């Protein structure tokens, strides 16, 4: 066994009882002398932050000091200058932190995972106010970092241990976004930037502008800061997909069903995004003992969506075994995967080919406001108070257009290439190649409108009282109260207008069918649909040449032509009467509409202390936080009546729980300011997703089966333990190592239980519940930085930085459907690392960075119940700044310079996705006075 493995295993016996024993032991050693660092985050910021930070080296030094001076396990990233953060996106900056991995969308960093915890289990704060989820239709708590400009931010902190005064909600940790403040600098400043962004896929140049200014008045008693940001962005994304694999035919006669593809499809996603953001902060200091502030942040991302797919329902086709070849090796259970498959339609099996477009708009809006203040009542007694309000809203007004060939005669799908991607071609009944840029053979058109609105709001009141006693060892006693009122609401509708020449298709549910001849349908496609102007997967590697690069692009003109042909005049309305049976006379998606309200009340107490232990200065914070949560879920159920009709009764249900979260943080100044040891242990929690708390009950009185959410779900719980050592060997250099363990319980799993309904019937009801499984994640983090200041010029301008995280999990009960083997904990990369080298002098600063994470499990049970993985992924980024004057800097930055693709798969033999986002180049000029 390796030394690292032995160290990781040695933490096995650490339990929450250690918290109480360690706390009592430290109090018993009370004859100490030194005064501890205060546990208040605002004081950490005031005492340890370099206010005006310029240059890479100064920014790294500032972040290093935040880490060193904190009473918690923490890492930080600090702005290099006013309006200059090291990355173009907050999520992409956070991936540089040890133990942090990110998820991406359209090539941009989106969600943040800390030490393997899913993004929905990570708490994010903007100057203390809660950042809310902007996931479309997700009903989760994952924060989207794309729309908040990096130019507004002074510092990012990733807090991995907790103190009782911290708001609960982060299972893996808490991300703090700290905005620049007017009292940061006594001198007034104005900073601005103008830049262009070039995308290698969209082949466009997009603008971005930012402005930030601050000034103090009345002798420094009043400060005002205002910021604004505007940008356009063409976000293009190409995907070659096999949506899933099915086993339905034994192709080689060995008695084992082999794997054939289900819905292979090329996919072009295009989003023209406009982002606007505003930020205003006012600080008032009437005297030396009092300070007040008012703050507001607003950000909006508005997308014009134009996505197009060409998809085949391959699993419904008949396999031509004589023209099909298999892979050379079978999987773990002896099933082979096709390398080349030819499929046909017959009278029984209809293989559909669909040209599908998603157009319209998607708007994400988030804002938060806060008012608060601090009053030093005496030299020893301090009061802090804050009221904050946060809101997030996603409005999805996308429109889906689909042109279908209900029985394409023949399809060929070839995976015999280096990337295992589907190379498709099609033929008509005569065997002639089918032209996918015309309406030939199209006999169904669908125009779908599914407006969706997700809204989340939260109000937060917090009051802290802190006393600094005249004591040689007890440095601070702090108590507080915090109350949150959070609401999440989803409003979902759907309406489908169908034109078809097939009499087998009838109106039902949300679909109204209109009949016409095939020639008229084909004419709509040929008249109103174009083809994609950019060749599919341009700039990426499909593993083969040629293939389908262009197909029908059915945009909004086609969508409107379908409605015109059907005589539908209220095309944008979904609140009209639905004539179909079993819909409640509405186009509302009944069980997709819900409101979840959570009211929480928290009380906490903590004490900060300091004394030497065997001659070593020790400081720490110990305390407890108690939270009571009440939930109320309202919405609609769905009941299948005895006559097989459906009804949608309004439903409501409540839940409640109380949690106790004790914690202890210890810091040992083994060599003051040079060598620091840390130990922390604490309980943390993360609440279930609102969609899991929504009632959404469906009952089938015929089959006596049903499903629903669970408003009485309890939160995830974890006991987190850290043991670390940090060496600060120069003013710009450090190396740190930390062992950590997360013992996670109360996992949410689906289970089926007997349920006695109001109608007197007992149903088999499937619902999410808190399971008894426990998962332990253990890891080792190593990080550091070094500046070569001792070398002669120009080599003295060089510096390096990097980190690595090694993680292992145990106890996750998810199993591979095929092999029965235990799966890894979802979202956890066992290895991740960052490496960077920089150079700067009075004129030039440049940095080259590489970020990499190993393979991770996306979901243990995806399509067909199979596990889905993302392969290892790494990106190379470069930034270069040149100072024309002290006030003016020109720059060029590049992201994903190696054009790395995302690869997803069930296993190495069956690939699900090959996705390319391309690389981007940013160039422009910054000004500061």
């Amino acid at each position: 066994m390796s030394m690292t493995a032995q160290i990781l295993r040695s933490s096995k016996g650490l339990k929450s009882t250690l918290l109480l024993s360690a706390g009592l032991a430290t109090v018993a050693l009370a004859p100490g002398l030194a005064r501890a660092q205060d546990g208040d985050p605002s004081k950490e910021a005031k005492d340890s932050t370099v206010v005006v930070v310029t240059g890479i080296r100064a920014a790294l030094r500032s972040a290093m000091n935040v880490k060193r001076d904190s009473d918690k396990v923490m890492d930080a990233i600090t702005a290099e200058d006013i309006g200059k953060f090291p990355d173009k996106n907050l999520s992409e900056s956070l991936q540089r932190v040890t133990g942090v991995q990110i998820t991406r969308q359209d090539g941009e960093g989106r969600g943040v995972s800390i030490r393997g915890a899913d993004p929905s289990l990570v708490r994010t704060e903007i100057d203390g106010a809660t950042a809310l989820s902007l996931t479309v239709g997700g009903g989760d708590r994952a924060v989207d970092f794309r729309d908040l400009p990096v130019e507004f931010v002074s510092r990012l902190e990733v807090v991995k241990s907790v103190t009782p005064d911290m708001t609960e909600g982060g299972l893996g940790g808490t991300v703090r976004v700290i905005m620049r403040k007017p009292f940061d600098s006594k001198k007034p400043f104005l900073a601005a930037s103008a830049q262009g962004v070039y995308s290698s896929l969209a082949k466009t140049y997009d603008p971005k502008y930012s402005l930030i200014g601050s000034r103090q008045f009345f002798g420094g008693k009043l400060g005002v800061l205002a910021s604004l940001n505007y940008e356009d962005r063409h976000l293009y994304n190409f995907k070659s997909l096999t949506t899933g694999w099915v086993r339905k035919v034994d192709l080689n006669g060995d008695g084992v069903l082999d794997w054939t593809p289900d819905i292979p499809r090329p996919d072009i996603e295009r989003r023209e995004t406009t982002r606007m953001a505003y930020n205003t902060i006012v600080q008032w200091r009437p005297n030396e003992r009092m300070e007040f502030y008012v703050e507001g942040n607003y950000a909006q991302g508005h997308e014009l969506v134009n996505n197009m797919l060409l998809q085949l329902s391959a699993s419904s086709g008949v396999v031509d075994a004589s023209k099909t070849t298999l892979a050379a090796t079978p999987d773990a259970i002896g099933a082979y995967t096709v390398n080349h498959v030819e499929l046909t339609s017959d009278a029984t099996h209809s293989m559909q080919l669909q040209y599908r477009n998603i157009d319209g708009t998607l708007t994400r809006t988030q804002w938060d406001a806060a008012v608060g203040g601090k009053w030093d009542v005496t030299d020893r007694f301090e009061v802090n108070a804050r009221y904050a309000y946060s809101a997030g809203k996603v409005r999805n007004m996308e429109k889906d257009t689909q042109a279908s060939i209900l029985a394409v005669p023949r399809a060929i799908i070839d995976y015999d290439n280096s990337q295992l991607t589907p190379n498709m071609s099609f033929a008509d009944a005569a065997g002639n190649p089918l032209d996918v840029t015309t309406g030939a053979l199209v006999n169904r058109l669908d125009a779908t409108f599914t407006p969706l609105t997700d809204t989340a709001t939260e109000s937060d009141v917090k009051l802290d009282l802190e006393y600094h006693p005249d004591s040689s060892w007890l440095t601070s006693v702090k108590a507080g109260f915090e109350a949150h009122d959070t609401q999440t609401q989803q409003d979902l509708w759907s309406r489908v207008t169908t034109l078809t020449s097939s009499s087998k298709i009838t109106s039902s549910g949300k679909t109204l069918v209109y009949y016409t001849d095939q020639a008229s349908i084909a004419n709509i496609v040929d008249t109103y649909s174009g083809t994609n102007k950019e060749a599919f997967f341009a700039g990426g590697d499909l593993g083969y040449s040629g293939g389908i690069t262009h197909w029908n692009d059915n945009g909004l003109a086609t969508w409107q032509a379908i409605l015109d042909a059907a005589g539908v005049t209220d095309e944008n309305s979904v609140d009209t009467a639905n004539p179909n049976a079993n819909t409640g006379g509405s186009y509302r998606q009944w069980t997709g509409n819900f409101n979840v309200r959570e009211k929480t009340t928290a009380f906490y107490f903590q004490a900060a202390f300091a004394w030497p232990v065997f001659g070593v200065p020790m400081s720490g914070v110990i305390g407890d936080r108690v939270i009571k949560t009440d939930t109320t879920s309202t919405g609609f159920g769905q009941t299948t009546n005895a006559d097989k009709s459906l009804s949608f009764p309004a439903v409501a249900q409540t839940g409640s729980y109380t949690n106790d979260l004790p914690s202890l943080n210890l810091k040992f100044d083994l060599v003051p300011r040079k060598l620091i040891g840390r130990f922390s242990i604490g309980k943390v929690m993360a609440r279930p997703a609102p969609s899991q708390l929504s009632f959404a009950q469906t009952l089938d009185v015929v089959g006596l089966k049903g499903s629903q959410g669970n408003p009485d779900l309890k939160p995830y719980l974890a006991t987190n333990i850290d043991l670390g050592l940090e060496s600060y060997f120069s003013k710009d250099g450090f190396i740190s190592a930390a062992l950590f363990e997360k013992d996670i319980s109360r996992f949410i799993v689906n289970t089926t239980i007997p349920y006695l309904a109001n109608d007197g019937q007992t149903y088999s009801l499937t619902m999410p519940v808190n399971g008894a499984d426990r998962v332990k994640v253990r890891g080792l983090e190593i990080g550091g930085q070094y500046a070569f200041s001792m070398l002669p010029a120009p080599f003295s301008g060089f510096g390096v930085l990097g980190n690595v995280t090694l993680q292992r999990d145990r106890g996750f009960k998810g199993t591979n459907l095929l092999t029965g083997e235990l799966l890894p904990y979802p979202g956890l990369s066992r290895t991740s690392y960052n490496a960077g080298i920089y150079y700067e002098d009075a004129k030039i600063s440049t940095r080259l960075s590489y970020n990499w994470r190993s393979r991770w499990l996306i979901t243990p049970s995806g399509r067909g119940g199979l596990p889905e993985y993302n392969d290892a992924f790494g990106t190379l980024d470069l930034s270069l700044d040149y100072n024309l004057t002290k006030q003016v800097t020109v720059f060029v930055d590049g992201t994903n310079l190696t054009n790395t693709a995302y690869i997803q798969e069930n296993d190495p033999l069956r690939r699900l996705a090959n996705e390319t986002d391309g690389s981007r180049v940013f160039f422009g000029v910054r000004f500061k006075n």
Side-chain angles (χ1 to χ4, degrees):
M1 183 184 299
S2 68
M3 180 178 297
T4 298
Q6 293 178 15
I7 294 173
L8 294 177
R9 287 182 178 272
S10 70
S11 64
K12 180 177 180 181
L14 292 173
K15 299 294 183 182
S16 59
T17 53
L18 183 58
L19 174 61
L20 179 60
S21 60
L24 293 174
T26 52
V27 173
L29 293 173
L33 299 174
R35 183 177 178 88
Q37 173 74 24
D38 198 298
D40 189 331
S42 65
K43 290 201 171 189
E44 288 175 13
K46 179 178 69 177
D47 296 340
S48 62
T49 302
V50 177
V51 173
V52 178
V53 182
T54 58
I56 297 174
R57 186 168 301 184
L60 293 174
R61 183 186 307 164
S62 177
M64 181 183 77
N65 289 334
V66 171
K67 177 181 178 70
R68 172 168 48 191
D69 295 341
S70 174
D71 56 7
K72 295 177 283 294
V73 180
M74 176 193 293
D75 289 283
I77 301 173
T78 306
E80 297 173 13
D81 203 345
I82 299 168
K84 171 63 169 71
F85 223 66
D87 290 279
K88 300 299 182 182
N89 170 291
L90 291 180
S91 177
E92 291 162 14
S93 288
L94 286 165
Q95 74 175 334
R96 313 294 179 194
V97 172
T98 314
V100 173
Q101 291 93 35
I102 68 171
T103 58
R104 293 175 180 268
Q105 182 172 329
D106 302 320
E108 295 184 308
R110 179 181 178 182
V112 168
S113 171
I114 301 176
R115 291 177 169 177
D118 185 87
S120 62
L121 304 180
V122 172
R123 175 172 172 78
T124 301
E125 302 172 349
I126 302 175
D127 280 347
T130 302
L132 299 173
S133 173
L134 296 173
T135 302
V136 180
D140 62 18
R141 302 180 191 272
V143 172
D144 192 326
F145 286 85
R146 291 176 293 171
D147 298 327
L148 186 65
V150 295
E151 287 84 358
F152 293 4
V153 178
S154 172
R155 187 171 74 249
L156 292 173
E157 296 178 348
V158 177
V159 186
K160 301 173 184 175
S161 68
V162 295
T163 50
D165 58 350
M166 292 176 57
T167 304
E168 71 284 350
L171 200 68
T174 296
V175 175
R176 290 174 171 172
V177 181
I178 299 173
M179 313 297 276
R180 195 171 291 276
K181 306 295 192 304
F183 282 172
D184 285 350
S185 174
K186 293 183 178 180
K187 294 182 179 180
F189 67 80
L190 179 68
S193 66
Q195 58 185 291
V197 185
Y198 177 77
S199 167
S200 65
L201 289 190
K203 301 188 186 309
T204 58
Y205 293 88
D206 296 319
K208 180 176 181 180
Y209 309 100
S210 184
L211 180 67
I212 179 171
S214 177
R215 187 178 182 89
Q216 295 184 12
F217 304 89
F218 308 114
K221 291 186 176 182
L222 180 69
V224 179
L225 180 145
S227 312
L228 60 90
N229 186 87
Y230 174 87
E231 66 176 295
D232 287 332
R233 189 72 62 84
H234 284 73
L235 300 173
Y236 280 28
N237 174 281
F238 294 167
K239 301 177 183 177
S240 179
L241 305 171
T242 301
T243 310
W245 293 82
V246 296
R247 295 174 60 207
K248 68 171 189 174
V249 60
D250 178 8
L251 291 169
N252 57 359
D254 63 358
V256 180
L257 297 180
D258 299 311
W259 293 100
T260 58
D262 181 24
I263 315 183
R265 58 185 186 182
D267 180 357
I268 297 176
E269 297 188 0
R270 299 166 292 204
R271 298 176 181 268
E272 296 182 21
T273 301
T274 299
R275 293 182 176 134
M276 296 177 292
Y278 313 95
N279 160 255
T280 301
I281 301 174
V282 178
Q283 290 179 297
W284 179 43
R285 189 181 294 148
N287 55 56
E288 292 183 355
R289 290 188 176 274
M290 302 180 73
E291 184 177 312
F292 303 95
Y293 65 88
V294 177
E295 177 177 354
N297 302 290
Y298 174 90
Q300 183 184 86
H302 181 73
E303 297 181 352
L304 292 176
V305 182
N306 181 210
N307 301 339
M308 55 183 293
L309 309 90
L310 175 65
Q311 59 188 41
L312 177 73
S313 56
S315 62
S316 62
V318 179
V319 178
D320 186 342
S322 66
K323 297 181 179 179
T324 296
T325 60
L326 297 176
T329 57
D331 65 12
I333 61 170
Y336 285 80
T337 303
V338 297
N339 260 0
H340 177 100
V341 61
E342 299 202 17
L343 304 163
T344 61
S345 291
D346 60 20
T348 304
H349 305 88
S350 295
M351 182 173 52
Q352 294 187 23
L353 178 64
Q354 298 162 338
Y355 310 100
R356 182 184 174 194
N357 272 61
I358 302 173
D359 296 274
T361 63
L362 174 69
T363 304
R364 299 180 300 271
T365 305
Q366 57 184 312
W367 66 276
D368 62 84
V371 58
K374 180 184 71 172
W375 179 25
D376 293 329
V377 182
T378 69
D379 290 340
R380 299 189 178 279
F381 183 62
E382 178 182 310
V383 178
N384 281 271
R386 184 192 72 204
Y387 171 77
Y389 182 84
S390 304
K393 183 176 182 179
V394 180
R395 180 66 167 159
N396 188 344
M397 299 293 286
E398 293 177 351
K399 298 177 179 180
D400 193 314
T401 308
Q402 188 163 286
S404 302
I405 301 174
L406 295 178
V408 63
R410 191 167 193 88
I412 300 170
I413 313 168
D414 189 1
Y415 289 90
D416 191 10
N417 57 73
S418 62
Q419 295 299 319
L420 303 180
T421 52
N423 184 3
M424 297 194 297
S425 59
F426 311 97
D428 62 18
N432 300 312
L434 180 63
D435 186 353
V436 294
T437 65
T438 73
L441 304 184
V442 173
N443 47 9
R444 175 172 177 168
L445 291 171
D446 294 280
T448 302
F449 185 38
T450 308
L452 168 68
T453 303
D454 287 302
T455 305
T457 62
E458 179 174 295
S459 59
D460 168 27
V461 177
K462 187 174 184 180
L463 176 66
D464 296 329
L465 307 175
E466 186 168 11
Y467 179 68
H468 301 278
D470 185 11
S471 169
S472 61
W473 66 273
L474 183 61
T475 61
S476 169
V477 177
K478 190 175 181 182
F481 160 84
E482 189 169 9
H484 291 256
D485 188 348
T486 307
Q487 290 196 67
T488 304
Q489 180 173 320
Q490 181 167 289
D491 192 21
L492 176 63
W493 303 73
S494 181
R495 178 174 174 172
V496 184
T497 301
T498 297
L499 289 178
T500 183
S501 59
S502 172
S503 60
K504 296 180 181 180
I505 301 170
T506 59
S507 297
S508 65
K510 313 302 179 187
T511 302
L512 299 180
V513 176
Y514 302 84
Y515 298 100
T516 187
D517 58 273
Q518 193 272 333
S520 297
I521 293 173
N523 182 62
I524 291 177
V525 176
D526 291 335
T527 302
Y528 295 99
S529 299
T531 60
N532 46 302
K533 64 180 181 180
E534 61 286 300
F536 174 64
F537 231 79
D541 180 14
L542 281 173
Y544 62 85
S545 59
I548 294 175
T549 58
H550 294 75
W551 64 91
N552 287 326
D553 191 355
N554 304 309
L556 290 175
T558 308
W559 188 90
Q560 185 62 54
I562 296 170
L563 271 66
D564 291 342
V568 177
T569 56
D570 54 348
E571 64 274 4
N572 288 315
S573 177
V574 289
D575 56 3
T576 56
N578 185 344
N580 291 333
N582 295 321
T583 62
S586 173
Y587 293 100
R588 181 188 293 271
Q589 298 280 59
W590 292 99
T591 58
N593 289 257
F594 62 81
N595 183 292
V596 174
R597 185 174 187 180
E598 298 167 294
K599 301 183 74 173
T600 66
T601 305
F603 295 90
Y604 76 87
F605 173 85
Q606 67 183 46
F609 51 87
W611 57 78
V613 177
F614 303 113
V616 176
M618 180 193 70
S619 61
V621 178
I622 187 171
D624 195 12
R625 184 180 183 93
V626 179
I627 311 104
K628 185 178 186 300
T629 303
D630 296 302
T631 63
T632 302
S633 176
T634 58
F636 298 94
Q638 176 179 306
T639 302
T640 303
N641 304 309
D643 61 358
K644 297 187 179 181
S645 65
L646 299 180
S647 57
F648 307 94
V651 292
Q653 188 171 326
T654 61
S656 181
Y657 53 86
T658 300
N659 291 102
D660 181 33
L661 306 178
S663 62
L664 168 70
N665 286 268
L666 295 177
K667 178 180 176 182
F668 301 88
D669 288 305
L670 303 173
V671 178
R673 305 289 296 172
K674 296 293 185 181
L675 185 63
I676 294 173
R678 296 186 186 272
F679 171 78
S680 72
I681 181 170
K683 281 194 172 182
V684 295
M685 60 176 276
R687 294 183 174 86
S691 59
Q692 294 172 315
L693 295 169
S694 66
F695 189 71
Q697 186 184 81
T698 300
L699 297 177
D700 180 359
V701 74
V702 178
L704 294 181
K705 295 182 179 180
S707 63
Q708 72 167 59
N710 186 359
D712 201 32
L713 280 174
K714 305 300 186 291
Y716 294 85
L717 288 179
T719 299
N720 291 351
I721 303 171
D722 271 85
L723 182 64
L725 189 65
E726 302 163 8
S727 173
Y728 299 90
F729 51 83
S730 72
K731 68 178 182 179
D732 294 309
F734 80 92
I735 186 170
S736 67
L739 291 166
F740 65 87
E741 177 183 279
K742 295 202 303 281
D743 187 351
I744 311 168
S745 61
R746 284 190 185 168
F747 278 89
I748 297 173
V749 296
N750 287 326
T751 190
T752 301
I753 60 173
Y755 171 74
L756 180 62
N758 293 335
D759 61 6
Q761 299 278 6
T762 299
Y763 295 79
S764 295
L765 189 71
T766 301
M767 63 187 300
V769 298
N770 294 105
D773 294 343
R774 304 178 75 94
V775 172
K776 288 189 177 182
V777 177
R778 293 180 176 139
L780 171 66
E781 296 177 345
I782 301 174
Q785 64 189 47
Y786 183 67
F788 295 94
S789 305
M790 80 298 298
L791 298 179
F795 304 104
S796 58
F798 282 100
V800 294
L801 62 154
N803 59 64
V804 61
T805 302
L806 307 174
Q807 300 181 103
R808 296 293 185 271
D809 65 281
R810 188 180 68 182
F812 182 65
K813 297 299 176 62
T815 56
N816 190 314
L817 180 66
L818 295 175
T819 65
E821 297 174 337
L822 289 176
L823 293 167
Y825 184 53
L828 184 145
S829 289
R830 291 194 165 187
T831 304
S832 62
Y833 66 83
N834 293 279
I837 182 171
Y838 68 87
Y839 174 84
E840 69 174 351
D841 58 25
K843 284 289 185 180
I844 296 175
S845 66
T846 183
R847 171 160 33 185
L848 184 67
S849 303
Y850 186 73
N851 173 270
W852 184 87
R853 63 181 297 192
S854 64
R855 189 174 192 247
W856 70 94
L857 180 66
I858 302 170
T859 177
S861 182
R863 194 174 183 90
L866 300 178
E868 296 180 0
Y869 293 90
N870 204 112
D871 274 5
F873 182 81
T875 58
L876 181 68
D877 303 327
L878 173 68
S879 67
L880 174 63
D881 293 18
Y882 183 77
N883 299 322
L884 295 176
T885 69
K886 289 184 178 180
Q887 291 78 32
V888 179
T889 300
V890 293
F891 64 90
V892 59
D893 301 329
T895 62
N896 193 20
L897 296 178
T898 55
N899 194 18
T900 305
Y902 269 104
I903 304 296
Q904 297 179 0
E905 61 190 23
N906 293 135
D907 61 37
L909 296 175
R910 287 182 292 280
R911 185 160 291 182
L912 297 174
N914 183 355
E915 175 181 342
T916 180
D917 304 304
S919 56
R920 294 186 176 93
V921 177
F922 302 76
F923 54 93
V925 59
R926 282 189 298 272
F927 165 85
K928 66 170 183 177
N929 66 349

